[in-house]
Amino acid sequence: MDSLGIDQIQINKVPADTEYYDVMNGSHRWEVKVHDHGKVALVDSMPRLAPVGQTADFAIVQAARVSYGAGTKKVTEDKGLIRYLYRHQHTSPFEMIEFKFHCVMPVFIARQWIRHRTANVNEYSARYSVMPDKFYHPSAEDVRKQSTSNRQGGEDATDTKTAQEFLDYLDQVEANYKTYSELLDKGVSRELARIGLPVSVYTEWYWKIDLHNLFHFLRLRMDSHSQKEIRDYANTIFALIRPIVPVACEAFIDYAFESIKLTRLEIEAIRSGKPLNTANKRETEEWEAKRKQLGLPEPVKVEQTQPSSTEQA
Ligand SMILES: Cc1cc2nc3c(=O)[nH]c(=O)nc-3n(C[C@H](O)[C@H](O)[C@H](O)COP(=O)(O)OP(=O)(O)OC[C@H]3O[C@@H](n4cnc5c(N)ncnc54)[C@H](O)[C@@H]3O)c2cc1C
C-alpha cells in the first residue's frame, strides 16, 4: 500500500449499457486551411464519445437534467430542451462541452483573439524558438478601402494601383526577415530579434474553450463588424464544431447570431410607427438598419403645421 492509500481505492467500472461512438470518427485532427499559411485544427472534443443515435449535444441535456436525475429522453425532447436553455440563457449546461483547437494565425489576428479571456491558451514562444518565415499577404483583390461608415472597418476593394502599392509595402516589411535571421546568426537573442518583425508574421497556439464561451466568441467574431481576417477563422471554427453539436449550433444561429436585439426606444418606435425618440445620430442609424432588416415601413413623418395667427400673437 502507498502512503496515500490510493491503491486501495476501488473503482466501479460500470459497463456501457449503450453503444457509444467517437464524435471525431476516430480521427486525432480535423484540419482546415485558412488563407495562405493559417489553419484551424480541431484536435479534441469533450465529450469524445456519444451514445449511438445522438450527437455530443447529449452532454448539454445530461447536465441540465441532473437536478432530477431523469437522464436523457427522446431526441426531439432533448432538442426542445437545448433550444429552451439557449433562449433563456441557462448557459452552464453548455459549459459541459469543450473543444481543443490548434490554430495558426498572424500576430495581428492573435491580438484580437487573445482578448477572449475565457479560453485556455498555450502559444508558440518566439523567445524559445525562431519565428517562421511566413506572413499574411492578401491578394490584390482583398485589399480593402477604409470604410466611410465604420471607422474601425474596411469595405470594398481599393483601386488596382493603390492595392499594388500596399502589397509592395508588405514586401518591404517582410524583407526584414532576412535581417532577423542574420541577427540571430550573430548571436542576438531571439526575444529581442523578433521585435523588428511585422504583425503579419505567423504565430500558433493550442486553444481550449467550452461551448458557452465559444458561442460568445463566435457571436462577436463571425459578426460583420469584426475584421474579415478573424471572421474567416471564426467561420472555420463554427464549421468544425457544427457536425459535433448540431442542435446547439442551430440554437446559437436562431437565438443569438441571427437574432436582433431591440432597445426600449426601438420597441416604442415599432409600436408608435414614429421615428426613434433620440437625437443620437449613430443610434438612429443603427435603428434604421434594424428597421430595414425587419422589413418595417418607414416611420410616419410628423407634419410641421403653421402656427395660427392667434398662436403667433
Ligand atoms: C468588433 C469589435 C471591435 C473591438 N474593438 C476594440 C477596440 O477598439 N479596443 C479594444 O481594446 N478592444 C476591442 N474589442 C475587444 C472587446 O472589447 C472585447 O475585449 C473582446 O471582444 C472580448 O470580449 P469579452 O470580454 O466579452 O470576452 P471574454 O473575455 O471571452 O469574456 C466573456 C465574458 O466573460 C465575462 N468576463 C470575462 N472576464 C471578465 C472580467 N475580468 N470581469 C468581468 N467580466 C468578465 C464577461 O461577461 C465577458 O463578456 C473589439 C471587439 C470586437 C468584436
Side-chain angles (χ1 to χ4, degrees), residues 96-277:
M96 298 300 147
I97 294 185
E98 287 191 334
F99 293 108
K100 185 162 69 178
F101 302 92
H102 175 207
C103 313
V104 180
M105 76 296 259
V107 166
F108 72 94
I109 295 298
R111 277 203 62 193
Q112 297 181 349
W113 199 323
I114 201 72
R115 298 299 303 279
H116 297 267
R117 298 158 287 180
T118 47
N120 305 107
V121 186
N122 198 68
E123 187 176 3
Y124 183 88
S125 169
R127 297 178 67 198
Y128 189 83
S129 305
V130 176
M131 290 300 275
D133 186 9
K134 287 190 178 140
F135 301 90
Y136 176 66
H137 196 104
S139 55
E141 52 279 14
D142 284 335
V143 181
R144 304 183 291 276
K145 276 193 292 203
Q146 173 59 44
S147 164
T148 47
S149 56
N150 173 1
R151 276 188 235 167
Q152 266 197 337
E155 61 187 11
D156 305 332
T158 186
D159 63 89
T160 327
K161 184 169 167 285
T162 314
Q164 194 49 54
E165 276 175 37
F166 171 74
L167 296 175
D168 294 346
Y169 151 71
L170 289 188
D171 285 342
Q172 281 168 33
V173 289
E174 288 164 21
N176 273 339
Y177 192 85
K178 188 167 169 284
T179 315
Y180 166 73
S181 276
E182 286 166 0
L183 289 169
L184 290 182
D185 291 343
K186 286 181 182 163
V188 174
S189 63
R190 289 184 286 270
E191 66 181 3
L192 280 178
R194 61 162 168 184
I195 69 174
L197 291 173
V199 289
S200 57
V201 72
Y202 274 76
T203 184
E204 57 187 276
W205 60 38
Y206 275 81
W207 194 66
K208 182 168 76 68
I209 190 163
D210 67 61
L211 188 58
H212 162 51
N213 286 297
L214 179 56
F215 280 147
H216 180 72
F217 171 86
L218 294 175
R219 191 173 60 75
L220 293 170
R221 300 301 181 178
M222 283 164 64
D223 188 90
S224 60
H225 292 91
S226 268
Q227 183 166 345
K228 180 192 172 293
E229 284 76 13
I230 195 167
R231 239 188 297 144
D232 294 337
Y233 281 88
N235 287 331
T236 304
I237 289 174
F238 188 64
L240 283 165
I241 65 157
R242 199 175 198 162
I244 298 178
V245 280
V247 179
C249 283
E250 189 182 80
F252 161 73
I253 293 289
D254 292 350
Y255 304 132
F257 190 63
E258 288 185 6
S259 72
I260 296 179
K261 186 174 158 194
L262 293 175
T263 66
R264 183 181 65 75
L265 297 187
E266 290 167 347
I267 293 169
E268 263 178 24
I270 294 174
R271 285 192 179 134
S272 66
K274 290 183 186 161
L276 197 73
N277 187 15

